[in-house]
């Protein structure tokens, strides 16, 4: 094989590999991204319908109610709140008054069905998304007062 | 007084490292033997000073000196001694100090075990390591001083996060850091060779054992972390594509590519520029990993309370390292000679494809990890990329690699004969088809995914046997050859574990009253109830489960739900019955009525076939790496080549 052909084969192979990888990446990214939405945005109807997304904020005090393995609670950004149901086992640090992030879909009746509730691993840690939601809500309230 | 001593030693170490980073590098360029001679003593001094500092911090933990802020925040008197001592790296400041300690440790090891290398080369390697140490020490001293005092010390510390009170804390971070920081050694060798303008086979041979040992630590560290997450977090998964896991996995992928590329550079003199780039990339990804872990920019299981200032510092350090290295590379690369030529079908080509696949896989993981940051930075809102992305991209990229791993070692350097190779390996192809059809049916239901994976395993193992038999006929192979074989065999074992547990695992979350039973994977758990028990610094609800198979009692399992005295955070301790072909796993989630002792509990049970093969495979890979690094030829002093390269170094200066 001539060196020129060899170079073509190597470059062609490399390009093909990168092409296939890019196709895989784009395809997989498209179907596996979850947007983050604050409780206020959910209540205002800005949440993506029929798609998986995440909400974050604080677990409202006194809102946790267990029904065997199904847990009902509310996630609040201190301004608005969204009722959430989750069936299964919650992470150890899931507690009232603490930050939490849930992933799932919104139902037509406005409740959120979570397929996953994210753990945090430190009592003093606040998931950045939960913090973001609370910050947004408090900023909005300040603007209204002014 | 002791903490101040530690702080002082750290500051001294900074200046010593500055000397270690500047004098030998300048000396090697200017051909000044007296400056070059500074490298070894300076390295030893830096190691000693950081060692003293580390010992001081450990002492503060040992004597419960809560006037030190870091100790007060991560330990208390109730904590058992072994956790008090490993709490030294249980938080940000201490884990960075451990990181620096390991860095100077690696440098000291290079200084001690490189007597056969030319003095100028050693000086450059130690010099580059010295500069890296300067950067990290500045980071520790300026942003994360573990010796900061409290004006009014509390009577009792806040204790260590209960999650970390596990033997995993003793082994996982040190091993992982050894691997992370070991990338700095591979990087330093590459930089030293660039500075000397002497990228040759000798450089590759010097760098190989260090790179391989660093890779072994990284492999063990990641595997242990995965195992720890498996039993401690109570989720039963072994890999979550969490940003912090990815942060350690990306350097691993690149380092694996680097090991293979270094083999080509050593044996054939090719791929030199590429090898250097990989070494730079591996170390940069280590730093990026530190940034991701320490800045808290991503939601992660490892995300503990963080400080954004620190993230910025590491980002600047990363930019300096990458920028300076690439600049040097750009200046020197055009002068690098091309290595030996090779035909399209040759071992070089197979290793090239190996490298392309590993790097592309790393790129895909990097993209998935950073995508949320990129989108957020451009105002696209906050998003997360889920594990399905990584599985969908990573697995297809890795499949060709599993085919090639059988071909590469069979192919000859320079020019291989493809028909002859295929003739040799056709029994392996038959074995692959047979394994793909039969094995899944033996294990349970036949699925395309597991069939494909097991076919690849059949191919790898059969080709492995053929190749081993042939090699043994040709005479006794070297230790490093056995290392390669063992590591590749470990990969096959690993794939078995991943495929089997991915396909045939069973999980059930159930509500159980005492006396009730639940079955997974042919195993039956009978819940006998819960009793309270007292640990050294916690109270636990200990469940009792009777595990039986086909009506035969196997053993009792005791999962726990712990409440630590110093924390509001409950901890789930799973109970696992481990076996060669399966684990069964039970964890107590929460009581479903106020009567904990006799009421119902939410319980999670798992059946995990072949899950231990995942870590077993990693262990085999690591052993293989150790054998490869132990080969005698790395320790033989090649007098003539050393003399020649010393002259070349002088000439380049």
């Amino acid at each position: 094989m001539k060196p020129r052909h060899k170079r073509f084969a190597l470059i062609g192979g490399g390009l093909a590999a990168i092409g296939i990888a890019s196709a895989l990446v784009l395809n997989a990214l498209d179907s596996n991204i979850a947007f983050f939405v604050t409780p206020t945005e959910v209540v205002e109807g800005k949440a993506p319908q029929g798609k998986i997304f995440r909400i974050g904020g604080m677990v409202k005090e006194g809102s946790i109610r267990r029904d065997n393995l199904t847990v009902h609670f509310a996630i609040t950004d201190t301004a608005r709140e969204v009722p959430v149901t989750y069936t299964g086992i919650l992470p150890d640090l899931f507690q009232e008054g603490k930050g939490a992030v849930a992933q799932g879909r919104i139902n037509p009746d406005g409740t959120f069905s979570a397929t996953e509730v994210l753990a945090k691993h430190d009592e003093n840690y606040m998931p950045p998304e939960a913090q973001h939601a609370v910050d947004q809500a408090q900023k909005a309230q300040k603007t209204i007062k002014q | 007084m002791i903490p101040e001593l530690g702080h002082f030693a750290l500051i001294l170490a900074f200046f010593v490292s500055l000397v270690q980073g500047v004098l030998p590098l300048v000396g090697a360029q200017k051909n000044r033997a007296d400056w070059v001679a500074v490298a070894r003593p300076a390295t030893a001094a830096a190691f000693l000073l950081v060692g003293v500092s580390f010992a001081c911090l450990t002492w503060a933990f040992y004597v419960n000196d809560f006037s030190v802020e870091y100790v007060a925040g991560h330990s208390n008197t109730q904590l058992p001694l072994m956790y008090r001592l490993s709490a030294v790296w249980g938080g940000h400041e201490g884990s960075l100090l451990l990181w620096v300690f390991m860095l100077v440790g690696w440098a000291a090891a290079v200084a001690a075990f490189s007597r056969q290398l030319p003095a100028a080369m050693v000086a450059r390697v130690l010099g580059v390591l010295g500069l890296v140490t300067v950067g990290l020490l500045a980071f520790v001293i300026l942003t994360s001083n573990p010796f900061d005092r409290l004006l009014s010390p509390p009577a009792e510390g806040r204790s260590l996060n209960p999650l970390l009170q596990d033997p995993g804390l003793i082994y996982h971070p040190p091993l992982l850091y050894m691997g992370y920081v070991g990338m700095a050694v591979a990087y330093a060798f590459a930089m030293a060779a660039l500075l000397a303008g002497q990228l040759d086979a000798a450089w590759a041979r010097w760098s190989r054992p260090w790179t391989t040992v660093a890779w072994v630590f990284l492999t063990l560290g990641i595997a242990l972390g995965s195992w720890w997450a498996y039993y401690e977090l109570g989720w039963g998964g072994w890999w979550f594509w969490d940003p912090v896991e990815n942060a350690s996995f990306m350097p691993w992928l690149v380092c694996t590519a680097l090991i293979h590329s270094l083999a080509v550079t050593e044996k054939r003199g090719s791929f030199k520029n590429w090898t250097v780039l990989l070494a730079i990339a591996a170390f940069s990804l280590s730093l990026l990993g530190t940034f991701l872990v320490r800045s808290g920019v991503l939601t992660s299981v490892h995300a503990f309370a963080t400080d954004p200032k620190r993230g910025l510092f590491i980002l600047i350090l990363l930019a300096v390292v990458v920028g300076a290295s690439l600049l040097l590379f750009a200046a020197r690369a055009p002068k690098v000679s091309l290595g030996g030529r090779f035909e399209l079908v040759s071992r070089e080509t197979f290793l090239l494809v190996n490298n392309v696949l590993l790097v592309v896989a790393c790129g895909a993981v990097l993209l998935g990890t950073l995508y949320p940051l990129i989108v957020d930075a451009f105002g696209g809102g906050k998003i997360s990329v889920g594990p399905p992305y990584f599985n969908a991209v990573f697995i297809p990229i890795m499949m060709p690699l599993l085919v090639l791993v059988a071909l590469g070692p069979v192919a000859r350097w320079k020019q291989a004969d493809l028909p002859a190779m295929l003739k040799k390996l056709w029994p392996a192809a038959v074995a692959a088809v047979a394994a793909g059809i039969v094995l899944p049916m033996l294990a349970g239901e036949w699925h395309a995914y597991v069939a494909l994976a097991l076919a690849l395993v059949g191919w790898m193992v059969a080709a492995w046997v053929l190749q081993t038999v042939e090699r043994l006929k040709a005479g006794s192979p070297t230790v490093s050859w056995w290392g390669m074989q063992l590591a590749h065999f470990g990969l096959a074992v690993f794939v078995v574990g991943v495929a089997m547990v991915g396909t045939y695992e069973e999980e059930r979350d159930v509500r159980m009253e005492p006396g009730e039973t639940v079955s997974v994977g042919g195993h039956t758990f009978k819940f006998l109830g819960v009793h309270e028990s007292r640990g050294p610094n916690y109270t636990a609800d200990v469940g009792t489960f009777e595990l039986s198979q086909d009506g035969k009692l196997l053993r009792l399992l005791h999962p726990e739900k712990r409440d630590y005295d110093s924390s509001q955070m409950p901890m789930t301790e799973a109970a696992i019955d481990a076996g060669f072909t399966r684990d069964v796993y039970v964890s107590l989630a929460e009581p479903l009525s106020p009567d904990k002792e006799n009421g119902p509990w939410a319980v999670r049970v798992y059946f995990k076939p072949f899950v231990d093969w995942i870590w077993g495979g990693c262990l085999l890979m690591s052993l293989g790496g150790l054998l490869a690094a132990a080969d005698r030829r790395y320790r033989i002093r090649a007098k003539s080549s050393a003399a020649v390269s010393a002259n070349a170094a002088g000439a380049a200066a």
Side-chain angles (χ1 to χ4, degrees), chain B residues 262-520:
Chain B
L262 272 172
V264 181
T265 308
E266 190 208 350
K267 300 278 188 192
R268 300 285 309 148
S270 314
F271 296 6
K272 290 174 200 158
N273 284 337
W274 175 245
T275 304
V276 169
L277 278 181
L278 283 179
I280 296 174
F283 181 56
S284 305
L285 286 169
S286 285
L287 285 180
L288 180 73
T290 318
F291 165 71
L292 290 179
V293 180
R294 287 298 150 209
S295 64
V297 290
L298 292 168
T299 308
S300 147
V301 297
H302 288 70
F304 299 98
T306 44
D307 177 353
K309 263 198 311 237
R310 294 170 176 165
L312 190 66
F313 195 106
I314 304 177
L315 214 53
I316 292 170
L317 193 64
L318 179 66
V320 169
V321 166
V322 175
S325 326
L326 291 183
L327 213 61
L328 183 62
F329 178 75
R332 292 295 163 103
K335 290 187 204 142
V336 175
S337 66
L338 289 171
R341 297 189 160 274
F342 57 92
E343 291 301 315
L344 193 57
V345 180
S346 61
R347 189 182 286 188
E348 284 94 327
T349 307
F350 285 116
L351 287 172
L352 181 64
V353 178
N354 151 302
N355 269 238
V356 170
L357 289 172
L358 284 168
V359 169
V360 168
C362 175
V365 174
L366 182 67
L367 183 70
T369 310
L370 295 186
Y371 198 66
L373 285 182
I374 299 168
V375 171
D376 197 16
F378 285 101
K382 288 195 177 292
I383 62 159
S384 68
V385 177
Y389 160 81
F390 293 99
N391 290 332
V393 175
F394 187 76
I395 293 172
I397 296 176
M398 283 295 107
M399 292 242 170
L401 198 64
L402 299 182
V403 176
L404 289 178
V405 76
L407 290 173
V410 182
R412 294 162 63 124
W413 293 110
K414 201 169 173 187
Q415 183 171 16
D417 184 359
L418 195 59
M421 277 168 63
L422 294 179
K423 209 164 128 194
K424 212 182 290 169
L425 289 178
W426 71 264
V430 175
V433 175
I437 295 172
V438 178
L439 289 181
M441 287 201 276
L442 292 178
E445 223 175 304
W446 193 90
H447 290 289
Y449 162 68
V450 72
L452 182 58
L454 292 177
L456 285 168
V457 169
W459 161 254
M460 283 159 74
V461 172
W464 188 88
V465 171
L466 290 172
Q467 188 206 347
T468 307
V469 169
E470 191 187 271
R471 183 68 186 79
L472 287 178
K473 275 187 200 153
S476 94
T478 58
V479 176
S480 65
W481 183 86
W482 280 114
M484 173 189 76
Q485 288 299 88
L486 194 59
H488 286 171
F489 187 75
L491 180 64
V493 171
F494 172 82
V495 174
V496 172
V498 174
M500 293 299 284
V501 81
T503 315
Y504 298 116
E505 74 169 337
E506 289 177 37
E507 171 194 339
R508 293 185 68 184
D509 288 352
V510 284
R511 171 189 194 272
M512 289 184 95
E513 303 247 13
E516 285 185 333
T517 59
V518 60
S519 292
V520 280

Side-chain angles (χ1 to χ4, degrees), chain B residues 34-321:
Chain B
D34 50 342
W35 288 12
V36 163
V38 171
R40 280 206 169 90
T43 306
F47 175 64
L48 213 67
L49 286 168
V50 178
V52 165
S53 177
F54 193 80
C56 290
L57 187 62
T58 310
W59 177 258
F61 272 92
Y62 178 70
V63 299
N64 294 312
D65 184 352
F66 297 130
S67 68
V68 176
E69 190 179 1
Y70 180 68
V71 179
H74 294 89
S75 180
N76 70 13
T77 52
Q78 303 297 307
L79 205 60
L81 182 64
M82 70 169 176
Y83 294 133
R84 234 160 61 213
L85 295 185
S86 41
V88 171
W89 54 82
H92 168 81
E93 289 87 349
S95 60
L96 272 170
L97 186 60
L98 177 69
W99 174 297
V100 176
F101 186 42
M102 300 217 149
L103 184 60
V104 291
W106 274 106
V110 171
F113 300 115
S114 58
R115 301 277 169 205
Q116 76 278 23
L117 263 58
M121 181 71 185
V122 176
R124 288 196 174 97
V125 172
L126 294 179
V128 173
L129 284 172
L131 288 180
V132 174
T133 312
V134 166
L136 281 165
L137 274 176
F139 180 46
V140 173
I141 295 168
L142 294 178
T143 74
S144 334
N145 178 13
F147 298 106
D148 275 345
R149 294 272 199 173
L150 288 168
L151 280 178
S152 48
E156 181 62 293
R158 267 193 33 221
S159 190
L160 186 65
N161 184 332
L163 201 70
L164 299 179
Q165 297 184 28
D166 181 272
L169 176 70
I170 304 173
Y171 313 110
H172 167 60
L175 278 173
L176 190 66
Y177 283 10
M178 277 300 274
Y180 257 148
V181 180
M183 297 299 123
V185 179
Y187 167 79
F189 269 96
M191 285 297 106
L194 272 186
L195 282 170
Q198 180 209 352
L199 284 169
D200 55 13
W203 153 67
R205 189 164 61 247
W206 296 328
S207 173
R208 271 186 91 180
W210 295 101
T211 310
T212 309
V213 170
W215 177 88
V216 167
F217 278 115
L218 196 55
T219 310
L220 285 175
I222 295 173
L224 254 172
S226 152
W227 187 48
W228 188 13
Y230 168 77
Y231 71 76
E232 178 74 21
L233 294 180
W235 305 337
W238 60 275
W239 193 258
F240 303 95
W241 292 112
D242 177 85
V244 171
E245 289 175 336
N246 295 347
S248 64
F249 191 44
M250 289 186 287
W252 187 89
L253 286 170
V254 172
C255 189
T256 309
L258 176 61
I259 286 175
H260 291 88
S261 163
L262 272 172
V264 181
T265 308
E266 190 208 350
K267 300 278 188 192
R268 300 285 309 148
S270 314
F271 296 6
K272 290 174 200 158
N273 284 337
W274 175 245
T275 304
V276 169
L277 278 181
L278 283 179
I280 296 174
F283 181 56
S284 305
L285 286 169
S286 285
L287 285 180
L288 180 73
T290 318
F291 165 71
L292 290 179
V293 180
R294 287 298 150 209
S295 64
V297 290
L298 292 168
T299 308
S300 147
V301 297
H302 288 70
F304 299 98
T306 44
D307 177 353
K309 263 198 311 237
R310 294 170 176 165
L312 190 66
F313 195 106
I314 304 177
L315 214 53
I316 292 170
L317 193 64
L318 179 66
V320 169
V321 166

